[in-house]
Amino acid sequence: SSILRKVNTCTYTESGEEVEYREILLLAFRFFQIFTVMTIVLYSDIILHGFFTTNAIERGSYAASSNIGKVTYFIIFAVVSASFPLLSNSWQIGNYQNFKKTFINSIKLISLIISVVFITTTVFADEIVSILYGSNYIDGAKYLKIYPVAVCLLSLNLFLLNASGIMNLFTSQRLIGILSILLYLFLSYLWRDYWVAVPLSLLISQIFLSIAILITFYKRFVILEGSSS
């Protein structure tokens, strides 16, 4: 892990390479933007669903399933937080192979969590809602077959966007992120008459964002491997 010590206006990594505070602040500001936008997207579903649905019982059922689904966000957020310093240090000292290894291992772990969440919420959706909120909100179980996976993908994209900030890909990824949000809003409105509108729109927009970012990362890894060989 990175060992940082304060020296005047700079910090130093284990390799002795200077890192200006200005660069640290810029990176922190990028992560602040990413976290803020992704958190807004995460909590926007209840507002959108409430806008498209007038039935109070349906609103309550969706809110219950939404609260359950958001738990997965914080589980994966722990992985994101743990992997960030490893990725940052590897990139800073130019150890791209270690960066790639940590990146891929983090993706595998997040994918495993997504698989477990998908199986659990699909098979035991009714039981989960009944235990946590009671039978009055059992109708919300249908959302648990989609929404938690969408939230997991949103958490994965939080990790990918943070990694893009480390790799100085933030500007290009920002446009992709904006397009994914517009896609989410457009599909939610297009399917507003269907109960699945909001969670399915979120799922599709996050799949789009994940694929677009991973393609960009693949191209960057190919360039890095070519330059190091």
Short mmCIF file of all heavy atoms in Angstrom, two decimals, residues 161-225:
data_model
loop_
_atom_site.label_atom_id
_atom_site.label_comp_id
_atom_site.label_asym_id
_atom_site.label_seq_id
_atom_site.Cartn_x
_atom_site.Cartn_y
_atom_site.Cartn_z
N LEU A 161 -15.72 4.19 -12.90
CA LEU A 161 -15.51 5.63 -13.07
C LEU A 161 -14.39 6.14 -12.16
O LEU A 161 -13.63 7.03 -12.55
CB LEU A 161 -16.82 6.38 -12.80
CG LEU A 161 -17.90 6.21 -13.87
CD1 LEU A 161 -19.23 6.80 -13.40
CD2 LEU A 161 -17.47 6.86 -15.18
N ASN A 162 -14.31 5.59 -10.96
CA ASN A 162 -13.20 5.96 -10.08
C ASN A 162 -11.86 5.54 -10.69
O ASN A 162 -10.87 6.29 -10.65
CB ASN A 162 -13.37 5.31 -8.72
CG ASN A 162 -14.33 6.06 -7.83
OD1 ASN A 162 -14.61 7.22 -8.06
ND2 ASN A 162 -14.86 5.40 -6.83
N ALA A 163 -11.83 4.34 -11.27
CA ALA A 163 -10.62 3.87 -11.93
C ALA A 163 -10.28 4.75 -13.13
O ALA A 163 -9.11 5.01 -13.41
CB ALA A 163 -10.79 2.42 -12.37
N SER A 164 -11.32 5.21 -13.83
CA SER A 164 -11.07 6.08 -14.99
C SER A 164 -10.46 7.41 -14.56
O SER A 164 -9.66 8.00 -15.28
CB SER A 164 -12.37 6.33 -15.76
OG SER A 164 -13.23 7.20 -15.04
N GLY A 165 -10.83 7.86 -13.36
CA GLY A 165 -10.23 9.08 -12.83
C GLY A 165 -8.75 8.90 -12.56
O GLY A 165 -7.94 9.80 -12.82
N ILE A 166 -8.38 7.73 -12.05
CA ILE A 166 -6.97 7.43 -11.80
C ILE A 166 -6.20 7.36 -13.11
O ILE A 166 -5.06 7.82 -13.21
CB ILE A 166 -6.85 6.09 -11.04
CG1 ILE A 166 -7.49 6.20 -9.66
CG2 ILE A 166 -5.39 5.67 -10.91
CD1 ILE A 166 -7.58 4.88 -8.92
N MET A 167 -6.83 6.83 -14.16
CA MET A 167 -6.17 6.62 -15.44
C MET A 167 -6.28 7.84 -16.36
O MET A 167 -5.93 7.76 -17.54
CB MET A 167 -6.78 5.41 -16.14
CG MET A 167 -6.63 4.12 -15.38
SD MET A 167 -7.55 2.75 -16.14
CE MET A 167 -6.63 2.51 -17.66
N ASN A 168 -6.77 8.94 -15.82
CA ASN A 168 -6.92 10.18 -16.60
C ASN A 168 -7.86 10.01 -17.80
O ASN A 168 -7.63 10.58 -18.87
CB ASN A 168 -5.56 10.69 -17.08
CG ASN A 168 -4.64 11.05 -15.92
OD1 ASN A 168 -5.08 11.66 -14.95
ND2 ASN A 168 -3.39 10.66 -16.02
N LEU A 169 -8.91 9.21 -17.61
CA LEU A 169 -9.92 9.02 -18.65
C LEU A 169 -11.23 9.70 -18.27
O LEU A 169 -12.27 9.44 -18.88
CB LEU A 169 -10.17 7.51 -18.87
CG LEU A 169 -9.02 6.69 -19.42
CD1 LEU A 169 -9.36 5.21 -19.38
CD2 LEU A 169 -8.68 7.12 -20.83
N PHE A 170 -11.17 10.56 -17.27
CA PHE A 170 -12.39 11.11 -16.68
C PHE A 170 -13.20 11.92 -17.70
O PHE A 170 -14.43 11.83 -17.74
CB PHE A 170 -12.06 11.99 -15.48
CG PHE A 170 -13.26 12.60 -14.82
CD1 PHE A 170 -14.13 11.81 -14.09
CD2 PHE A 170 -13.52 13.94 -14.92
CE1 PHE A 170 -15.25 12.36 -13.48
CE2 PHE A 170 -14.63 14.50 -14.32
CZ PHE A 170 -15.49 13.71 -13.60
N THR A 171 -12.53 12.70 -18.54
CA THR A 171 -13.24 13.57 -19.49
C THR A 171 -14.08 12.77 -20.48
O THR A 171 -15.26 13.06 -20.70
CB THR A 171 -12.25 14.46 -20.25
OG1 THR A 171 -11.49 15.24 -19.32
CG2 THR A 171 -12.99 15.39 -21.20
N SER A 172 -13.48 11.73 -21.06
CA SER A 172 -14.22 10.91 -22.02
C SER A 172 -15.32 10.11 -21.35
O SER A 172 -16.41 9.93 -21.92
CB SER A 172 -13.25 9.97 -22.75
OG SER A 172 -12.62 9.09 -21.83
N GLN A 173 -15.08 9.64 -20.13
CA GLN A 173 -16.09 8.85 -19.42
C GLN A 173 -17.25 9.71 -18.95
O GLN A 173 -18.36 9.22 -18.76
CB GLN A 173 -15.45 8.13 -18.22
CG GLN A 173 -14.24 7.29 -18.54
CD GLN A 173 -14.55 6.10 -19.43
OE1 GLN A 173 -15.56 6.09 -20.12
NE2 GLN A 173 -13.69 5.11 -19.44
N ARG A 174 -16.99 10.99 -18.73
CA ARG A 174 -18.06 11.88 -18.28
C ARG A 174 -19.17 11.97 -19.32
O ARG A 174 -20.36 11.97 -18.98
CB ARG A 174 -17.48 13.26 -17.98
CG ARG A 174 -18.50 14.26 -17.44
CD ARG A 174 -17.80 15.45 -16.81
NE ARG A 174 -16.76 15.99 -17.68
CZ ARG A 174 -15.90 16.92 -17.28
NH1 ARG A 174 -15.93 17.37 -16.04
NH2 ARG A 174 -14.98 17.39 -18.12
N LEU A 175 -18.81 12.03 -20.60
CA LEU A 175 -19.80 12.08 -21.67
C LEU A 175 -20.62 10.79 -21.70
O LEU A 175 -21.85 10.83 -21.87
CB LEU A 175 -19.10 12.29 -23.01
CG LEU A 175 -20.00 12.27 -24.26
CD1 LEU A 175 -21.06 13.36 -24.15
CD2 LEU A 175 -19.18 12.43 -25.53
N ILE A 176 -19.95 9.66 -21.54
CA ILE A 176 -20.65 8.37 -21.51
C ILE A 176 -21.63 8.34 -20.34
O ILE A 176 -22.76 7.85 -20.46
CB ILE A 176 -19.64 7.21 -21.41
CG1 ILE A 176 -18.73 7.19 -22.62
CG2 ILE A 176 -20.37 5.88 -21.28
CD1 ILE A 176 -17.61 6.18 -22.53
N GLY A 177 -21.20 8.86 -19.19
CA GLY A 177 -22.07 8.89 -18.01
C GLY A 177 -23.30 9.74 -18.24
O GLY A 177 -24.42 9.36 -17.84
N ILE A 178 -23.14 10.88 -18.88
CA ILE A 178 -24.27 11.75 -19.18
C ILE A 178 -25.26 11.06 -20.11
O ILE A 178 -26.48 11.12 -19.92
CB ILE A 178 -23.78 13.09 -19.79
CG1 ILE A 178 -23.00 13.90 -18.75
CG2 ILE A 178 -24.96 13.91 -20.32
CD1 ILE A 178 -22.34 15.14 -19.31
N LEU A 179 -24.73 10.37 -21.12
CA LEU A 179 -25.59 9.64 -22.06
C LEU A 179 -26.38 8.54 -21.35
O LEU A 179 -27.55 8.31 -21.66
CB LEU A 179 -24.74 9.03 -23.19
CG LEU A 179 -24.13 10.02 -24.19
CD1 LEU A 179 -23.23 9.29 -25.18
CD2 LEU A 179 -25.22 10.79 -24.93
N SER A 180 -25.74 7.88 -20.39
CA SER A 180 -26.44 6.80 -19.66
C SER A 180 -27.58 7.37 -18.81
O SER A 180 -28.64 6.74 -18.69
CB SER A 180 -25.45 6.03 -18.79
OG SER A 180 -25.02 6.80 -17.68
N ILE A 181 -27.37 8.55 -18.22
CA ILE A 181 -28.43 9.18 -17.44
C ILE A 181 -29.59 9.58 -18.33
O ILE A 181 -30.77 9.38 -17.98
CB ILE A 181 -27.87 10.40 -16.68
CG1 ILE A 181 -26.87 9.96 -15.62
CG2 ILE A 181 -29.01 11.19 -16.01
CD1 ILE A 181 -26.17 11.10 -14.91
N LEU A 182 -29.28 10.15 -19.48
CA LEU A 182 -30.33 10.53 -20.43
C LEU A 182 -31.10 9.31 -20.91
O LEU A 182 -32.33 9.36 -21.07
CB LEU A 182 -29.72 11.27 -21.63
CG LEU A 182 -29.11 12.64 -21.32
CD1 LEU A 182 -28.45 13.22 -22.58
CD2 LEU A 182 -30.16 13.60 -20.78
N LEU A 183 -30.39 8.20 -21.13
CA LEU A 183 -31.04 6.95 -21.53
C LEU A 183 -31.97 6.46 -20.43
O LEU A 183 -33.10 6.01 -20.72
CB LEU A 183 -29.98 5.90 -21.85
CG LEU A 183 -30.49 4.50 -22.24
CD1 LEU A 183 -31.29 4.59 -23.55
CD2 LEU A 183 -29.32 3.52 -22.40
N TYR A 184 -31.53 6.54 -19.20
CA TYR A 184 -32.34 6.14 -18.04
C TYR A 184 -33.64 6.95 -17.96
O TYR A 184 -34.73 6.38 -17.81
CB TYR A 184 -31.48 6.33 -16.78
CG TYR A 184 -32.20 6.19 -15.47
CD1 TYR A 184 -33.12 5.19 -15.24
CD2 TYR A 184 -31.92 7.09 -14.42
CE1 TYR A 184 -33.75 5.05 -14.01
CE2 TYR A 184 -32.53 6.97 -13.19
CZ TYR A 184 -33.46 5.95 -13.00
OH TYR A 184 -34.09 5.83 -11.77
N LEU A 185 -33.52 8.25 -18.10
CA LEU A 185 -34.70 9.12 -18.03
C LEU A 185 -35.63 8.89 -19.22
O LEU A 185 -36.86 8.85 -19.06
CB LEU A 185 -34.26 10.58 -17.97
CG LEU A 185 -33.46 11.00 -16.74
CD1 LEU A 185 -32.99 12.45 -16.87
CD2 LEU A 185 -34.28 10.82 -15.47
N PHE A 186 -35.05 8.74 -20.41
CA PHE A 186 -35.86 8.54 -21.62
C PHE A 186 -36.66 7.24 -21.55
O PHE A 186 -37.87 7.21 -21.82
CB PHE A 186 -34.96 8.54 -22.86
CG PHE A 186 -35.67 8.14 -24.12
CD1 PHE A 186 -36.55 9.01 -24.73
CD2 PHE A 186 -35.46 6.89 -24.69
CE1 PHE A 186 -37.22 8.65 -25.90
CE2 PHE A 186 -36.12 6.51 -25.85
CZ PHE A 186 -37.00 7.39 -26.45
N LEU A 187 -35.99 6.14 -21.17
CA LEU A 187 -36.67 4.85 -21.10
C LEU A 187 -37.72 4.83 -19.99
O LEU A 187 -38.79 4.23 -20.16
CB LEU A 187 -35.65 3.73 -20.89
CG LEU A 187 -34.69 3.45 -22.05
CD1 LEU A 187 -33.71 2.34 -21.69
CD2 LEU A 187 -35.46 3.09 -23.32
N SER A 188 -37.42 5.48 -18.87
CA SER A 188 -38.40 5.54 -17.78
C SER A 188 -39.67 6.24 -18.24
O SER A 188 -40.79 5.81 -17.92
CB SER A 188 -37.80 6.30 -16.58
OG SER A 188 -36.72 5.59 -16.02
N TYR A 189 -39.51 7.30 -18.99
CA TYR A 189 -40.68 8.03 -19.51
C TYR A 189 -41.38 7.23 -20.60
O TYR A 189 -42.62 7.17 -20.64
CB TYR A 189 -40.24 9.39 -20.06
CG TYR A 189 -41.39 10.20 -20.61
CD1 TYR A 189 -42.25 10.89 -19.76
CD2 TYR A 189 -41.63 10.26 -21.99
CE1 TYR A 189 -43.32 11.63 -20.26
CE2 TYR A 189 -42.69 10.99 -22.50
CZ TYR A 189 -43.54 11.68 -21.62
OH TYR A 189 -44.60 12.39 -22.13
N LEU A 190 -40.61 6.58 -21.47
CA LEU A 190 -41.18 5.81 -22.57
C LEU A 190 -42.04 4.65 -22.06
O LEU A 190 -43.10 4.36 -22.62
CB LEU A 190 -40.05 5.27 -23.45
CG LEU A 190 -40.46 4.48 -24.69
CD1 LEU A 190 -41.18 5.38 -25.69
CD2 LEU A 190 -39.23 3.84 -25.35
N TRP A 191 -41.58 4.01 -20.97
CA TRP A 191 -42.29 2.85 -20.42
C TRP A 191 -43.08 3.20 -19.16
O TRP A 191 -43.37 2.33 -18.34
CB TRP A 191 -41.28 1.75 -20.09
CG TRP A 191 -40.56 1.23 -21.29
CD1 TRP A 191 -41.02 1.18 -22.57
CD2 TRP A 191 -39.24 0.67 -21.33
NE1 TRP A 191 -40.07 0.62 -23.41
CE2 TRP A 191 -38.97 0.29 -22.68
CE3 TRP A 191 -38.25 0.44 -20.36
CZ2 TRP A 191 -37.76 -0.28 -23.07
CZ3 TRP A 191 -37.05 -0.13 -20.75
CH2 TRP A 191 -36.81 -0.49 -22.09
N ARG A 192 -43.42 4.46 -19.00
CA ARG A 192 -44.02 4.94 -17.75
C ARG A 192 -45.32 4.24 -17.37
O ARG A 192 -45.71 4.22 -16.20
CB ARG A 192 -44.28 6.45 -17.84
CG ARG A 192 -45.26 6.86 -18.93
CD ARG A 192 -45.27 8.37 -19.09
NE ARG A 192 -46.22 8.82 -20.12
CZ ARG A 192 -45.94 8.81 -21.42
NH1 ARG A 192 -44.78 8.36 -21.84
NH2 ARG A 192 -46.84 9.24 -22.29
N ASP A 193 -46.01 3.63 -18.33
CA ASP A 193 -47.28 2.96 -18.04
C ASP A 193 -47.10 1.54 -17.55
O ASP A 193 -48.08 0.86 -17.23
CB ASP A 193 -48.17 2.95 -19.30
CG ASP A 193 -48.59 4.35 -19.72
OD1 ASP A 193 -48.73 5.22 -18.83
OD2 ASP A 193 -48.78 4.58 -20.93
N TYR A 194 -45.86 1.07 -17.48
CA TYR A 194 -45.59 -0.30 -17.04
C TYR A 194 -44.89 -0.28 -15.68
O TYR A 194 -44.06 0.60 -15.41
CB TYR A 194 -44.71 -1.02 -18.07
CG TYR A 194 -45.33 -1.10 -19.45
CD1 TYR A 194 -45.04 -0.13 -20.40
CD2 TYR A 194 -46.20 -2.13 -19.79
CE1 TYR A 194 -45.60 -0.20 -21.68
CE2 TYR A 194 -46.77 -2.20 -21.05
CZ TYR A 194 -46.47 -1.23 -21.99
OH TYR A 194 -47.04 -1.29 -23.24
N TRP A 195 -45.21 -1.25 -14.85
CA TRP A 195 -44.65 -1.27 -13.49
C TRP A 195 -43.13 -1.42 -13.50
O TRP A 195 -42.44 -0.98 -12.59
CB TRP A 195 -45.26 -2.42 -12.68
CG TRP A 195 -44.92 -3.80 -13.17
CD1 TRP A 195 -45.64 -4.57 -14.02
CD2 TRP A 195 -43.75 -4.58 -12.83
NE1 TRP A 195 -45.01 -5.78 -14.25
CE2 TRP A 195 -43.85 -5.81 -13.52
CE3 TRP A 195 -42.65 -4.36 -12.01
CZ2 TRP A 195 -42.89 -6.81 -13.42
CZ3 TRP A 195 -41.69 -5.35 -11.91
CH2 TRP A 195 -41.82 -6.55 -12.60
N VAL A 196 -42.61 -2.03 -14.55
CA VAL A 196 -41.18 -2.33 -14.63
C VAL A 196 -40.36 -1.15 -15.16
O VAL A 196 -39.13 -1.23 -15.24
CB VAL A 196 -40.97 -3.57 -15.53
CG1 VAL A 196 -41.10 -3.20 -17.01
CG2 VAL A 196 -39.63 -4.23 -15.25
N ALA A 197 -41.00 -0.05 -15.49
CA ALA A 197 -40.36 1.07 -16.20
C ALA A 197 -39.07 1.54 -15.55
O ALA A 197 -38.01 1.56 -16.18
CB ALA A 197 -41.34 2.23 -16.33
N VAL A 198 -39.13 1.96 -14.29
CA VAL A 198 -37.98 2.58 -13.65
C VAL A 198 -36.83 1.59 -13.39
O VAL A 198 -35.69 1.85 -13.78
CB VAL A 198 -38.39 3.29 -12.34
CG1 VAL A 198 -37.16 3.81 -11.60
CG2 VAL A 198 -39.34 4.44 -12.66
N PRO A 199 -37.08 0.44 -12.74
CA PRO A 199 -35.95 -0.47 -12.48
C PRO A 199 -35.34 -1.03 -13.75
O PRO A 199 -34.12 -1.17 -13.84
CB PRO A 199 -36.57 -1.58 -11.62
CG PRO A 199 -38.03 -1.50 -11.87
CD PRO A 199 -38.33 -0.07 -12.12
N LEU A 200 -36.17 -1.33 -14.76
CA LEU A 200 -35.63 -1.87 -16.01
C LEU A 200 -34.83 -0.80 -16.76
O LEU A 200 -33.78 -1.09 -17.34
CB LEU A 200 -36.76 -2.39 -16.90
CG LEU A 200 -36.32 -3.04 -18.22
CD1 LEU A 200 -35.39 -4.23 -17.95
CD2 LEU A 200 -37.54 -3.49 -19.03
N SER A 201 -35.31 0.43 -16.73
CA SER A 201 -34.58 1.53 -17.38
C SER A 201 -33.23 1.75 -16.71
O SER A 201 -32.22 1.99 -17.39
CB SER A 201 -35.41 2.82 -17.31
OG SER A 201 -36.63 2.67 -18.00
N LEU A 202 -33.22 1.68 -15.39
CA LEU A 202 -31.96 1.82 -14.66
C LEU A 202 -31.00 0.70 -15.02
O LEU A 202 -29.81 0.92 -15.25
CB LEU A 202 -32.22 1.84 -13.15
CG LEU A 202 -30.98 1.98 -12.26
CD1 LEU A 202 -30.27 3.30 -12.51
CD2 LEU A 202 -31.37 1.87 -10.78
N LEU A 203 -31.53 -0.53 -15.09
CA LEU A 203 -30.70 -1.68 -15.43
C LEU A 203 -30.08 -1.54 -16.82
O LEU A 203 -28.87 -1.73 -17.00
CB LEU A 203 -31.55 -2.96 -15.37
CG LEU A 203 -30.85 -4.27 -15.77
CD1 LEU A 203 -29.71 -4.58 -14.81
CD2 LEU A 203 -31.85 -5.42 -15.81
N ILE A 204 -30.89 -1.17 -17.80
CA ILE A 204 -30.40 -1.04 -19.17
C ILE A 204 -29.36 0.08 -19.28
O ILE A 204 -28.32 -0.07 -19.93
CB ILE A 204 -31.57 -0.77 -20.14
CG1 ILE A 204 -32.46 -2.01 -20.23
CG2 ILE A 204 -31.05 -0.39 -21.53
CD1 ILE A 204 -33.72 -1.81 -21.05
N SER A 205 -29.63 1.20 -18.63
CA SER A 205 -28.68 2.33 -18.69
C SER A 205 -27.36 1.99 -18.04
O SER A 205 -26.29 2.40 -18.53
CB SER A 205 -29.29 3.57 -18.02
OG SER A 205 -29.46 3.38 -16.63
N GLN A 206 -27.38 1.20 -16.97
CA GLN A 206 -26.14 0.82 -16.30
C GLN A 206 -25.38 -0.25 -17.09
O GLN A 206 -24.15 -0.28 -17.07
CB GLN A 206 -26.44 0.33 -14.88
CG GLN A 206 -26.99 1.40 -13.96
CD GLN A 206 -26.12 2.64 -13.92
OE1 GLN A 206 -24.92 2.56 -13.68
NE2 GLN A 206 -26.72 3.80 -14.14
N ILE A 207 -26.11 -1.11 -17.79
CA ILE A 207 -25.44 -2.08 -18.67
C ILE A 207 -24.72 -1.34 -19.79
O ILE A 207 -23.57 -1.64 -20.13
CB ILE A 207 -26.46 -3.08 -19.26
CG1 ILE A 207 -26.98 -4.01 -18.16
CG2 ILE A 207 -25.83 -3.89 -20.39
CD1 ILE A 207 -28.08 -4.95 -18.62
N PHE A 208 -25.41 -0.35 -20.37
CA PHE A 208 -24.81 0.47 -21.42
C PHE A 208 -23.54 1.16 -20.91
O PHE A 208 -22.50 1.16 -21.57
CB PHE A 208 -25.82 1.52 -21.89
CG PHE A 208 -25.20 2.67 -22.64
CD1 PHE A 208 -24.81 2.53 -23.96
CD2 PHE A 208 -25.01 3.90 -22.02
CE1 PHE A 208 -24.23 3.59 -24.65
CE2 PHE A 208 -24.44 4.96 -22.70
CZ PHE A 208 -24.04 4.80 -24.02
N LEU A 209 -23.62 1.73 -19.71
CA LEU A 209 -22.48 2.44 -19.14
C LEU A 209 -21.32 1.50 -18.86
O LEU A 209 -20.16 1.82 -19.16
CB LEU A 209 -22.91 3.15 -17.85
CG LEU A 209 -21.86 4.01 -17.14
CD1 LEU A 209 -21.32 5.08 -18.07
CD2 LEU A 209 -22.45 4.64 -15.87
N SER A 210 -21.61 0.32 -18.33
CA SER A 210 -20.56 -0.66 -18.03
C SER A 210 -19.83 -1.08 -19.30
O SER A 210 -18.59 -1.11 -19.34
CB SER A 210 -21.16 -1.90 -17.36
OG SER A 210 -21.75 -1.59 -16.12
N ILE A 211 -20.59 -1.42 -20.33
CA ILE A 211 -19.97 -1.89 -21.58
C ILE A 211 -19.12 -0.79 -22.21
O ILE A 211 -17.99 -1.04 -22.65
CB ILE A 211 -21.06 -2.35 -22.57
CG1 ILE A 211 -21.75 -3.61 -22.03
CG2 ILE A 211 -20.46 -2.63 -23.94
CD1 ILE A 211 -22.94 -4.07 -22.86
N ALA A 212 -19.66 0.43 -22.24
CA ALA A 212 -18.94 1.55 -22.85
C ALA A 212 -17.62 1.83 -22.13
O ALA A 212 -16.57 2.04 -22.76
CB ALA A 212 -19.82 2.79 -22.86
N ILE A 213 -17.65 1.80 -20.80
CA ILE A 213 -16.43 2.07 -20.02
C ILE A 213 -15.42 0.94 -20.19
O ILE A 213 -14.22 1.18 -20.36
CB ILE A 213 -16.76 2.26 -18.53
CG1 ILE A 213 -17.64 3.50 -18.34
CG2 ILE A 213 -15.48 2.41 -17.71
CD1 ILE A 213 -18.09 3.70 -16.91
N LEU A 214 -15.89 -0.30 -20.15
CA LEU A 214 -14.98 -1.44 -20.28
C LEU A 214 -14.30 -1.48 -21.64
O LEU A 214 -13.14 -1.88 -21.75
CB LEU A 214 -15.75 -2.75 -20.03
CG LEU A 214 -16.13 -3.02 -18.57
CD1 LEU A 214 -17.04 -4.24 -18.47
CD2 LEU A 214 -14.89 -3.20 -17.70
N ILE A 215 -15.01 -1.06 -22.69
CA ILE A 215 -14.39 -0.98 -24.02
C ILE A 215 -13.26 0.04 -24.00
O ILE A 215 -12.17 -0.20 -24.55
CB ILE A 215 -15.45 -0.60 -25.08
CG1 ILE A 215 -16.41 -1.76 -25.31
CG2 ILE A 215 -14.77 -0.21 -26.40
CD1 ILE A 215 -17.57 -1.42 -26.23
N THR A 216 -13.50 1.18 -23.36
CA THR A 216 -12.47 2.21 -23.25
C THR A 216 -11.27 1.70 -22.47
O THR A 216 -10.11 1.94 -22.83
CB THR A 216 -13.03 3.46 -22.56
OG1 THR A 216 -14.20 3.91 -23.24
CG2 THR A 216 -12.01 4.59 -22.54
N PHE A 217 -11.54 0.98 -21.38
CA PHE A 217 -10.46 0.43 -20.57
C PHE A 217 -9.64 -0.60 -21.35
O PHE A 217 -8.42 -0.65 -21.25
CB PHE A 217 -11.03 -0.22 -19.31
CG PHE A 217 -11.27 0.75 -18.19
CD1 PHE A 217 -11.44 2.10 -18.44
CD2 PHE A 217 -11.32 0.32 -16.88
CE1 PHE A 217 -11.67 3.00 -17.43
CE2 PHE A 217 -11.55 1.21 -15.84
CZ PHE A 217 -11.72 2.56 -16.13
N TYR A 218 -10.34 -1.43 -22.12
CA TYR A 218 -9.65 -2.45 -22.90
C TYR A 218 -8.67 -1.80 -23.88
O TYR A 218 -7.52 -2.25 -24.02
CB TYR A 218 -10.67 -3.31 -23.65
CG TYR A 218 -10.05 -4.30 -24.60
CD1 TYR A 218 -9.47 -5.47 -24.12
CD2 TYR A 218 -10.03 -4.07 -25.98
CE1 TYR A 218 -8.88 -6.39 -24.98
CE2 TYR A 218 -9.44 -4.98 -26.84
CZ TYR A 218 -8.88 -6.13 -26.34
OH TYR A 218 -8.29 -7.03 -27.20
N LYS A 219 -9.13 -0.75 -24.53
CA LYS A 219 -8.25 -0.04 -25.47
C LYS A 219 -7.04 0.54 -24.75
O LYS A 219 -5.92 0.49 -25.26
CB LYS A 219 -9.03 1.07 -26.17
CG LYS A 219 -10.11 0.57 -27.12
CD LYS A 219 -10.85 1.73 -27.77
CE LYS A 219 -11.92 1.23 -28.73
NZ LYS A 219 -12.67 2.35 -29.35
N ARG A 220 -7.25 1.09 -23.56
CA ARG A 220 -6.13 1.68 -22.80
C ARG A 220 -5.14 0.59 -22.36
O ARG A 220 -3.92 0.78 -22.43
CB ARG A 220 -6.66 2.44 -21.60
CG ARG A 220 -5.58 2.98 -20.65
CD ARG A 220 -4.56 3.86 -21.36
NE ARG A 220 -5.14 5.09 -21.85
CZ ARG A 220 -5.17 6.22 -21.15
NH1 ARG A 220 -4.62 6.26 -19.95
NH2 ARG A 220 -5.71 7.29 -21.67
N PHE A 221 -5.66 -0.56 -21.91
CA PHE A 221 -4.78 -1.65 -21.49
C PHE A 221 -3.95 -2.17 -22.66
O PHE A 221 -2.78 -2.53 -22.50
CB PHE A 221 -5.60 -2.80 -20.89
CG PHE A 221 -6.09 -2.52 -19.49
CD1 PHE A 221 -7.35 -2.93 -19.09
CD2 PHE A 221 -5.30 -1.84 -18.58
CE1 PHE A 221 -7.81 -2.69 -17.81
CE2 PHE A 221 -5.74 -1.59 -17.29
CZ PHE A 221 -7.01 -2.01 -16.91
N VAL A 222 -4.56 -2.23 -23.86
CA VAL A 222 -3.83 -2.68 -25.04
C VAL A 222 -2.68 -1.72 -25.33
O VAL A 222 -1.55 -2.13 -25.64
CB VAL A 222 -4.78 -2.77 -26.27
CG1 VAL A 222 -3.96 -2.96 -27.55
CG2 VAL A 222 -5.76 -3.90 -26.09
N ILE A 223 -2.95 -0.41 -25.22
CA ILE A 223 -1.91 0.60 -25.46
C ILE A 223 -0.79 0.46 -24.43
O ILE A 223 0.39 0.52 -24.77
CB ILE A 223 -2.51 2.01 -25.40
CG1 ILE A 223 -3.48 2.21 -26.58
CG2 ILE A 223 -1.42 3.07 -25.44
CD1 ILE A 223 -4.24 3.51 -26.52
N LEU A 224 -1.16 0.27 -23.15
CA LEU A 224 -0.16 0.16 -22.09
C LEU A 224 0.71 -1.08 -22.28
O LEU A 224 1.93 -1.02 -22.08
CB LEU A 224 -0.86 0.12 -20.73
CG LEU A 224 -1.52 1.42 -20.26
CD1 LEU A 224 -2.28 1.17 -18.96
CD2 LEU A 224 -0.49 2.51 -20.08
N GLU A 225 0.10 -2.19 -22.65
CA GLU A 225 0.87 -3.42 -22.85
C GLU A 225 1.80 -3.28 -24.06
O GLU A 225 2.92 -3.79 -24.05
CB GLU A 225 -0.09 -4.61 -23.05
CG GLU A 225 -0.81 -5.01 -21.79
CD GLU A 225 -1.75 -6.18 -22.00
OE1 GLU A 225 -1.88 -6.60 -23.18
OE2 GLU A 225 -2.34 -6.67 -21.03
#
